[in-house]
Amino acid sequence: MKILDRQEFSRQMEERVAEVEEIVRGFLPRASGTGVSENGDSFQKTIFDAMEYSLMAGGKRLRPIFIREAYRLFGGDEKAVVEAFMAAMEMIHTYSLVHDDLPAMDNDDFRRGKPTTHKVFGEDMGILAGDALLNFAYETALKGVGQARNKENAVGALQILSEKAGVFGMVGGQVVDVEMTGKSLTEAQVDFIYRLKTGALLEASLMVGAVLAGAPEEQVVWMEQIGACIGMAFQIQDDILDLTSTTEELGKPVGSDEKNEKMTYVTIHGMERAKEKVEEYSGQALEILEQLPGENAFLNTLILELIHRKK
Ligand code: FPP
Ligand code: MG
């Protein structure tokens, strides 16, 4: 299996993050020209500002990167189509963070090193910014569908995106997470929450890239399995960092799980076992990836690097 050295990986990662930022920026909603106030601003300017603030606040941009790498792995060549889906995915991810940080949920003041959207724009606009991002994500993905040569694949990708973001995916996981806060959880409940609230969008990212590129169904299922393993590893690492990192490094408050009385993988299994599990899940993801035809050294290295991520 091809693995990039640290320096080359960092270089390629920086390049890809910059690329995603440019893509996302390019898809930001624009003032329409109707409903403009005397100074030339749209009447609903606040929502454009809140959307831009939350979307452009930084972040690892992992999900769009996974879409593009999966698309590359299966030889996709329609740049405009995949980019619309990448932007849509980041919008859905960002909406989920904006809503997760609201006072009614985790009530966090910092995210990605900056004040959370509701802290800057008020709780009402925080709610609306999340709603707007979610809706605009579908408007954006549909631009990709409209341009796609193979409409069936594009609609299939849209179906995956919508399902994995909804009640059978991220929202479903978040519901159980919120409902079980302060209660004691079984191992199966923790697995369910992690698989859905964190795993679903990572699964969707790898699947969307593969489906858009025309990957065979069986291999799309493998991509889903890889995403599920990455999701578990990623969320357990999140729990570990919540206990071991600093607010400066993470860009969001540490000790959030304890503050919110959340049982995590670490509280159930202990730190050592949690660390082992992160390695195990990442190893499993790489094993499945190896079975696939084609090789993407950057993707291999990215999965490995997630084990050691510090933020
Ligand atoms: C951080 O991603 C996010 C997670 C680990 C997922 C947590 C799940 C939720 C907050 C679900 C919320 C759902 C609803 C419906 C409100 P990241 O580390 O990639 O963040 P980054 O983009 O800032 O780097
Ligand atoms: Mg939360």
Side-chain angles (χ1 to χ4, degrees):
M1 168 168 280
K2 281 191 210 133
I3 301 293
L4 302 176
D5 68 47
R6 268 264 150 77
Q7 217 182 346
E8 179 57 17
F9 175 74
S10 303
R11 195 191 62 74
Q12 291 196 20
M13 188 69 187
E14 272 172 38
E15 213 174 81
R16 280 160 169 84
V17 170
E19 205 178 78
V20 171
E21 309 245 304
E22 219 183 288
I23 293 167
V24 172
R25 187 171 284 290
F27 279 101
L28 284 174
R30 287 186 215 305
S32 67
T34 53
V36 174
S37 64
E38 276 167 19
N39 66 6
D41 285 340
S42 312
F43 286 141
Q44 78 276 48
K45 178 178 186 301
T46 309
I47 199 70
F48 295 143
D49 289 347
M51 289 165 85
E52 178 169 355
Y53 177 80
S54 55
L55 266 176
M56 301 315 296
K60 295 181 280 299
R61 312 301 189 185
L62 278 178
R63 294 153 190 83
I65 289 175
F66 275 130
I67 295 184
R68 167 142 283 165
E69 294 315 314
Y71 193 66
R72 280 206 175 114
L73 186 68
F74 290 99
D77 66 355
E78 289 176 281
K79 198 167 175 290
V81 177
V82 73
E83 288 184 354
F85 275 87
M86 290 164 70
M89 178 60 79
E90 192 65 4
M91 288 173 197
I92 293 180
H93 167 58
T94 303
Y95 117 76
S96 82
L97 301 182
V98 171
H99 279 185
D100 190 59
D101 290 333
L102 285 169
M105 294 213 210
D106 284 354
N107 193 20
D108 279 322
D109 294 351
F110 281 90
R111 165 78 67 180
R112 296 168 164 174
K114 300 194 170 76
T116 41
T117 307
H118 70 270
K119 277 277 148 191
V120 177
F121 295 89
E123 196 178 340
D124 44 10
M125 288 301 150
I127 295 169
L128 286 167
D131 296 341
L133 284 169
L134 177 57
N135 199 79
F136 203 66
Y138 293 110
E139 295 172 56
T140 303
L142 276 162
K143 287 184 188 144
V145 176
Q147 283 172 281
R149 276 197 307 269
N150 187 322
K151 293 284 186 262
E152 203 177 320
N153 287 348
V155 169
L158 187 62
Q159 192 175 359
I160 291 166
L161 182 68
S162 52
E163 246 177 60
K164 295 282 184 189
V167 289
F168 300 107
M170 179 178 67
V171 172
Q174 178 78 349
V175 166
V176 181
D177 187 39
V178 167
E179 212 163 44
M180 295 307 287
T181 296
K183 301 199 176 100
S184 134
L185 292 175
T186 64
E187 198 179 330
Q189 283 168 319
V190 172
D191 280 9
F192 177 90
I193 293 170
Y194 288 14
R195 169 96 205 253
L196 293 188
K197 83 162 185 178
T198 307
L201 285 196
L202 294 165
E203 290 167 19
S205 301
L206 291 171
M207 293 169 82
V208 160
V211 168
L212 285 177
E217 229 174 279
E218 180 202 38
Q219 292 174 14
V220 175
V221 174
W222 293 358
M223 294 305 269
E224 183 175 30
Q225 290 166 354
I226 295 169
C229 292
I230 296 174
M232 288 304 291
F234 191 83
Q235 185 57 53
I236 298 171
Q237 184 69 11
D238 219 64
D239 300 344
I240 295 173
L241 291 175
D242 190 60
L243 287 166
T244 59
S245 188
T246 60
T247 302
E248 292 71 44
E249 181 132 50
L250 279 188
K252 61 178 184 181
V254 290
S256 177
D257 294 329
E258 203 186 338
K259 177 195 89 177
N260 291 323
E261 293 172 41
K262 271 196 187 148
M263 268 185 91
T264 69
Y265 205 90
V266 181
T267 46
I268 295 182
H269 299 278
M271 187 58 87
E272 278 326 295
R273 182 83 193 109
K275 286 183 179 164
E276 278 167 26
K277 270 307 222 192
V278 173
E279 302 241 1
E280 239 174 78
Y281 278 120
S282 307
Q284 242 172 297
L286 288 173
E287 253 173 54
I288 308 170
L289 192 57
E290 248 190 320
Q291 317 291 315
L292 287 161
E295 172 142 40
N296 180 331
F298 176 79
L299 185 56
N300 297 342
T301 317
L302 175 57
I303 294 172
L304 262 181
E305 284 292 316
L306 286 179
I307 309 176
H308 307 291
R309 79 186 171 98
K310 295 273 181 290
K311 62 177 196 169

